[in-house]
Amino acid sequence: MSLYWVPKSNGEYESGGVHAGTDSGNELYVARAYHEGAVVPGKLHVSHSSVYIPYNMAEVSETKMKNF
């Protein structure tokens, strides 16, 4: 099995994505997003329409996902 990034946006996700756990009973998946000129790893919370990434000692949401 090989893994690769699949472009997605606005909370879309692949059924074969890398599962990263649950939060409040909702599925989390590995994701990454552009933020401040960099590609930053993060998590996609399935019930939300954005990726959450670490930035400046906080968790911020980014709606423009780079890839899932």
Side-chain angles (χ1 to χ4, degrees), residues 11 13 22 24 26 33 44 54 67:
Y13 67 97
T22 58
S24 301
N26 294 293
L44 171 67
N67 300 90

Side-chain angles (χ1 to χ4, degrees), residues 1 3 13-19 29 68:
M1 176 174 93
L3 298 176
Y13 67 97
E14 286 289 315
S15 60
V18 177
H19 186 255
Y29 289 91
F68 178 82

Side-chain angles (χ1 to χ4, degrees), residues 1-60:
M1 176 174 93
S2 62
L3 298 176
Y4 53 92
W5 293 103
V6 177
K8 297 292 177 185
S9 61
N10 300 318
E12 298 174 319
Y13 67 97
E14 286 289 315
S15 60
V18 177
H19 186 255
T22 58
D23 180 24
S24 301
N26 294 293
E27 302 298 318
L28 297 175
Y29 289 91
V30 174
R32 62 185 183 175
Y34 279 121
H35 188 77
E36 299 289 327
V39 178
V40 182
K43 65 182 180 183
L44 171 67
H45 196 293
V46 172
S47 66
H48 300 184
S49 62
S50 60
V51 172
Y52 292 92
I53 59 171
Y55 180 74
N56 199 24
M57 303 295 289
E59 184 176 71
V60 298

